[in-house]
Amino acid sequence: MDKPRPRHQTRRLPLIIERPDLAHPLRRVLALFATSLAWLLWLAMWIPFLAALGRHLGYPLPAIAFPSQVSLDSFFALLRIGPYVVGCAVAVVALSYLREKTRPVRTDERWRPIGMARLATGAALDPDRLAEWQTAQILYVAHGPHGRVSSASSASSTAPRPPLQATS
């Protein structure tokens, strides 16, 4: 009686990422084709940089494969400022860590443990009545006209008396 009843559970198929064999074969072929095309484009974008690096290292590459020196110059500029950027990032992380460790600990009143007195105050009861509620196995509550509990004092661990019926 005190356990919820089992709900109707629908059977779900596993996700396509877990079981790719459930996907339509045409969809799987198109996904493979799009992935291969994206990888080829990504590799093709490295060609100018690799050609510039090769010419810089002294390999005689044709000028057609190497239209400009911009990509290589940009790379070397990044290499020159890289240690400073990494140093600043490490300094920011270290300062953030130190600030977090040296910050005074503030206790928030909303997150303190709830005691019996605070719970009784929230339920508008005296702590003795709350202890009686907690030890009761059955709690009888009087409901108002809209189905809500009318007041905190309307709950009791003793059964209410049935109304007297008029005899005629």
Side-chain angles (χ1 to χ4, degrees):
M1 194 73 171
D2 59 345
K3 295 181 182 175
R5 65 177 184 196
R7 303 208 190 286
H8 176 69
Q9 296 187 4
T10 59
R11 186 167 181 246
R12 299 170 120 198
L13 289 174
L15 298 174
I16 296 274
I17 192 93
E18 295 169 356
R19 294 276 315 271
D21 57 316
L22 294 177
H24 192 274
L26 179 63
R27 190 175 186 185
R28 290 191 346 224
V29 168
L30 286 175
L32 180 66
F33 176 73
T35 303
S36 302
L37 184 66
W39 276 108
L40 287 174
L41 278 170
W42 186 78
L43 289 173
M45 287 190 284
W46 279 96
I47 290 174
F49 175 75
L50 293 175
L53 187 61
R55 283 185 65 102
H56 180 75
L57 294 175
Y59 293 102
L61 294 173
I64 189 113
F66 174 60
S68 72
Q69 188 88 1
V70 173
S71 61
L72 188 64
D73 291 339
S74 300
F75 176 72
F76 286 133
L78 285 175
L79 278 182
R80 282 191 293 274
I81 66 166
Y84 300 111
V85 172
V86 170
C88 288
V90 167
V92 165
V93 168
L95 288 174
S96 171
Y97 176 77
L98 289 174
R99 186 177 139 234
E100 189 70 28
K101 286 296 181 185
T102 59
R103 187 178 63 167
V105 178
R106 289 186 229 150
T107 57
D108 191 1
E109 286 294 315
R110 294 177 298 172
W111 302 113
R112 72 178 195 269
I114 297 177
M116 290 298 284
R118 184 172 175 202
L119 188 61
T121 303
L125 293 173
D126 60 335
D128 298 333
R129 185 90 187 256
L130 184 66
E132 176 190 338
W133 278 20
Q134 288 182 331
T135 58
Q137 291 184 353
I138 298 174
L139 193 63
Y140 298 96
V141 179
H143 293 277
H146 298 291
R148 297 187 181 114
V149 176
S150 58
S151 70
S153 61
S154 66
S156 172
S157 59
T158 58
R161 292 185 192 177
L164 294 175
Q165 295 181 356
T167 57
S168 30

